[in-house]
Amino acid sequence: MAAPEVEHPAGGNQSARATELFRTWARDSALGLSSLSPAMAMSATSVSPQLARAAQATENVWRQIGHEFGLLTSTEAAEHMGYGRNRTWASAQRKAGRLLGVRRGGAYRYPGFQLDADVVPVISELVAVARRQGWSDESVVLWLCSPSGWMPEGDRPVDALRTDPRSVLEAAGSAMAPRW
């Protein structure tokens, strides 16, 4: 016996919406599994469920960062900054410690939160702190985009890059310092 059709208060058919959500979930799950299974099968060692969940959780954060801020190619970053299709500008800025670049899909990507009319000024200071402490650019970006106990009210450091850069630098110094 089929579930009764129920009108949702906001309008529309709740049963049809639930069916569509399930279909989307099933399709996305099948796609994910079809990508993961061959990679896991090629591994010489087994991967624990905990490690697999941690890897997926990290990938989900990267996708959220990409959706929220953009993860720009070197050409896109240069165009955004007004340098045309210059493929070397972003790479030179990253190597000089003036821009954060993360490896994604075999190439560097540049989080859009650090780019305005110019590179957000605090970024070079943040990169310097991170490099002194041995943090990768990937670790810095993940830290910036996560709630931090070092920030007022546990906010994300990325949200204060422009409004309170000193608090971000202080938090970074504390969060990145070695603990004994």
Side-chain angles (χ1 to χ4, degrees):
M1 179 171 182
E5 299 290 322
V6 177
E7 284 295 318
H8 192 271
N13 183 310
Q14 194 173 17
S15 178
R17 176 76 177 132
T19 300
E20 182 56 33
L21 286 172
F22 177 78
R23 283 184 182 144
T24 300
W25 171 83
R27 183 194 68 234
D28 291 350
S29 295
L31 273 169
L33 285 174
S34 69
S35 298
L36 286 174
S37 293
M40 290 174 21
M42 290 179 58
S43 177
T45 60
S46 60
V47 176
S48 73
Q50 297 84 354
L51 185 57
R53 279 193 298 276
Q56 185 59 59
T58 302
E59 179 57 30
N60 291 347
V61 171
W62 282 117
R63 289 178 185 202
Q64 180 58 40
I65 291 169
H67 289 301
E68 185 173 356
F69 302 108
L71 289 170
L72 309 174
T73 65
S74 58
T75 301
E76 291 168 338
E79 285 177 330
H80 180 82
M81 298 303 291
Y83 293 101
R85 297 189 55 78
N86 183 337
R87 293 182 52 205
T88 61
W89 176 83
S91 177
Q93 297 299 305
R94 177 183 49 78
K95 289 176 183 174
R98 293 188 290 264
L99 193 64
L100 290 163
V102 298
R103 298 285 294 177
R104 301 286 300 148
Y108 280 97
R109 297 286 189 257
Y110 301 90
F113 61 71
Q114 63 189 329
L115 304 172
D116 275 340
D118 197 3
V119 175
V120 174
V122 74
I123 294 297
S124 60
E125 295 174 77
L126 189 59
V127 170
V129 169
R131 288 186 179 169
R132 277 195 306 271
Q133 298 302 336
W135 278 43
S136 68
D137 284 7
E138 288 82 1
S139 294
V140 175
V141 172
L142 291 171
W143 176 78
L144 281 167
C145 295
S146 301
S148 173
W150 298 106
M151 294 296 295
E153 299 183 35
D155 291 337
R156 300 182 314 172
V158 71
D159 297 324
L161 281 176
R162 289 167 187 78
T163 59
D164 194 3
R166 289 290 129 212
S167 71
V168 174
L169 279 177
E170 289 172 12
S174 297
M176 295 176 191
R179 304 274 181 257
W180 299 98

